Amino acid sequence: RDSVASRGLGDVYKRQISDSANFYVSAERIFDPTLRNVPVIVLSNNDGCAVARSDEAKALGIKMGEPLHLIQDKIAAHGVRVFSSNYTLYGDISRRIVEVYEDFTPNIEIYSIDECFLDFCGFKDRTVHAQAMRREVLRRIGVPVRVGIASTKTLAKCANDIAKKNPIFAGVMDMMDDTLADWLLPMVPVGDIWGIGRKTNAKLKCLGILTAADLRDMPTKQARAVGTVVLERTVLELQGEACLAFDDVEPQRKGMAVTRSSGQPMLDFDTVFQALSAHATRAAEKLRQHGLVAGTMTVFFHTNRHRPDRPQYSGSRSTRLTPMSCDTFELVQAARRCAESAWPKGEGRSFGFTKAGIMLDDLLPIEDRPRTLFDVPQLQQSAAMRALDDINTRFGKKTMVLASEGMKRPWQLRADHRSPRYTTRLSDLPVVR
């Protein structure tokens, strides 16, 4: 979903949010016209469960998060098209949508892969401008979006949900009119409000607060007692008081993680370390892309917690990176030290590890890295790292890797139904015959 926020004159705030309809499915449909008007689902990592569904798939009763093996009968009976997650494609389509948004506003807050807040300051007819933006995204990218407009982010999210569920609004819902808000908010369940989790929803229902209108009229002191200052801010936002700032500058990262589930159980140390080596390599690449260094690394791996009939083990170790680093070789060496320390002594082969990951904390811009006594003056990444990044950028990811990643990579994610990476890989470019 993509969202838009607009600031008016003086102290008046207008926020707009636009939603990409079933984003993962819409991205798949761009390059395959046969997917239109047929049920389509996109699966989670390792083809586990449905994380995106077309409207046709929802009509068949396929639920969000439903495991693939439980819906095989529906897939066979109704010809449901199934796809593995293709995050490379989705990320690039998201970037292209943001480029279209930039033609309609100079200020954008990217909230997620499919959602942004935009500043629409100075536009007299917000609905006309939003409709023009929707048409342009559909023309240039091929993804349908829906827009919600209101005085705060929370109200804009409500307006977006209403626009999503009610075709009478033609994809754009402007809730700046208080009369319209008074009419619509009683129809929005309190559990659908942005930021209301399952536990908070249960507490509110016990107090008889069932709709967005009920929550808006809740005393702020009571809201703070029930759900801390977070719920109090939500109440104020529903009342039209903007409490969530518009952040058009991405905040500096404080931490970073690269974790993956394995396509098949990892039974020995070498296989686990191959996965950790790949994750550490990717983490180092991300650090260099953002001009950062890390001060702390945490390594973990564990078995399948949902299989109590199998032996269980979870290992985790942390280490300081001194000096702070974004060097692939240094991060991989640190990952090995942590993995060796966390490995079960003498009985590793009795476990089948299904997930492993690297987490980096204490991130700083490379130019702000604390010096040590033996630091060389040059703090830039080494020539080897620059060469590694240049080769993989020019010829594709994983063109050159460390030998510690291995060659067969049995730990890689299972993605039996993944579509081509149409926009980022030359070999996957669509061909017209």
Side-chain angles (χ1 to χ4, degrees):
R1 290 177 295 182
D2 300 279
S3 57
V4 183
S6 74
R7 177 175 299 176
L9 300 177
D11 294 328
V12 179
Y13 289 84
K14 300 183 184 73
R15 298 239 195 302
Q16 175 179 318
I17 181 168
S18 67
D19 175 273
S20 297
N22 309 317
F23 178 64
Y24 290 176
V25 173
S26 296
E28 297 288 354
R29 282 175 166 171
I30 293 173
F31 300 95
D32 189 349
T34 66
L35 299 178
R36 296 175 184 174
N37 302 317
V38 300
V40 181
I41 62 172
V42 177
L43 303 174
S44 62
N45 289 340
N46 276 322
D47 295 344
C49 55
V51 295
R53 304 155 296 154
S54 67
D55 292 337
E56 297 81 5
K58 294 175 184 177
L60 296 176
I62 298 176
K63 299 178 181 179
M64 175 64 77
E66 194 164 9
L68 177 63
H69 68 275
L70 296 182
I71 55 176
Q72 291 290 358
D73 54 340
K74 292 181 180 178
I75 291 173
H78 301 283
V80 179
R81 301 287 296 275
V82 179
F83 289 88
S84 303
S85 294
N86 189 343
Y87 297 118
T88 302
L89 174 65
Y90 307 151
D92 190 60
I93 297 300
S94 176
R95 177 188 61 80
R96 292 165 186 253
I97 292 175
V98 171
E99 288 180 350
V100 178
Y101 290 162
E102 289 173 346
D103 292 340
F104 289 83
T105 174
N107 301 319
I108 302 175
E109 176 188 341
I110 299 176
Y111 181 67
S112 66
I113 191 173
D114 57 351
E115 189 168 12
C116 304
F117 290 99
L118 313 182
D119 186 341
F120 269 22
C121 178
F123 297 103
K124 294 181 179 179
D125 195 326
R126 298 177 298 273
T127 300
V128 170
H129 196 64
Q131 289 288 10
M133 185 181 69
R134 292 182 68 244
R135 290 193 297 270
E136 190 67 5
V137 173
L138 188 61
R139 184 185 71 83
R140 288 169 53 179
I141 310 301
V143 174
V145 299
R146 287 163 296 214
V147 178
I149 306 171
S151 57
T152 68
K153 286 184 176 180
T154 302
L155 280 173
K157 294 275 281 187
C158 288
N160 181 265
D161 288 340
I162 293 169
K164 182 192 307 183
K165 298 173 183 177
N166 295 273
I168 62 173
F169 295 111
V172 176
M173 171 63 206
D174 189 341
M175 204 187 283
M176 289 298 299
D177 187 340
D178 291 338
T179 303
L180 191 58
D182 291 338
W183 175 52
L184 292 170
L185 289 182
M187 304 180 189
V188 179
V190 70
D192 289 350
I193 299 173
W194 186 35
I196 302 298
R198 179 169 48 86
K199 293 183 179 179
T200 302
N201 185 26
K203 292 179 182 178
L204 292 173
K205 286 185 175 180
C206 290
L207 297 173
I209 298 174
L210 306 178
T211 68
D214 295 335
L215 184 59
R216 177 197 59 189
D217 299 333
M218 184 181 190
T220 54
K221 289 185 178 180
Q222 184 184 19
R224 180 184 283 256
V226 173
T228 72
V229 68
V230 176
L231 185 61
E232 181 183 15
R233 289 173 181 166
T234 300
V235 171
L236 291 172
E237 286 253 326
L238 289 173
Q239 294 173 357
E241 181 178 338
C243 299
L244 302 174
F246 181 80
D247 299 320
D248 54 348
V249 178
E250 183 180 0
Q252 180 183 312
R253 288 171 175 250
K254 300 297 183 182
M256 181 183 298
V258 180
T259 69
R260 296 288 186 275
S261 296
S262 175
Q264 62 187 56
M266 299 177 287
L267 302 177
D268 56 74
F269 178 84
D270 289 342
T271 304
V272 172
F273 178 63
Q274 286 178 15
L276 291 172
S277 180
H279 302 338
T281 297
R282 178 57 184 148
E285 291 174 352
K286 293 171 70 175
L287 285 175
R288 294 193 292 272
Q289 288 171 2
H290 290 87
L292 300 173
V293 289
T296 304
M297 171 186 284
T298 299
V299 168
F300 74 88
F301 47 88
H302 60 72
T303 53
N304 188 349
R305 302 184 180 111
H306 303 290
R307 294 293 302 271
D309 57 314
R310 301 287 183 86
Q312 297 291 309
Y313 184 85
S314 177
S316 176
R317 292 292 187 276
S318 297
T319 186
R320 292 289 302 172
L321 300 173
T322 306
M324 301 175 73
S325 179
C326 61
D327 185 282
T328 298
F329 296 105
E330 293 178 4
L331 265 60
V332 169
Q333 291 169 3
R336 185 175 185 94
R337 292 195 301 270
C338 290
E340 290 175 340
S341 176
W343 189 254
K345 305 305 179 185
E347 51 182 354
R349 288 188 177 275
S350 63
F351 299 100
F353 297 101
T354 57
K355 190 169 185 176
I358 299 286
M359 294 183 290
L360 300 176
D361 294 297
D362 302 330
L363 306 188
L364 285 177
I366 191 169
E367 61 271 14
D368 296 338
R369 181 180 73 165
R371 303 286 186 93
T372 65
L373 180 62
F374 300 103
D375 263 0
V376 294
Q378 181 66 25
L379 293 179
Q380 301 297 324
Q381 55 189 343
S382 67
M385 292 300 99
R386 290 197 300 271
L388 181 64
D389 292 339
D390 289 344
I391 290 171
N392 287 331
T393 298
R394 179 176 179 180
F395 298 103
K397 291 182 178 180
K398 301 297 183 182
T399 298
M400 180 174 288
V401 299
L402 272 64
S404 56
E405 286 191 33
M407 298 299 293
K408 295 183 179 180
R409 302 189 180 111
W411 44 267
Q412 284 188 317
L413 285 171
R414 185 170 64 250
D416 298 332
H417 311 282
R418 188 172 60 198
S419 58
R421 299 175 177 89
Y422 296 105
T423 63
T424 58
R425 183 171 293 187
L426 287 175
S427 60
D428 289 356
L429 282 175
V431 177
V432 178
R433 300 184 185 278

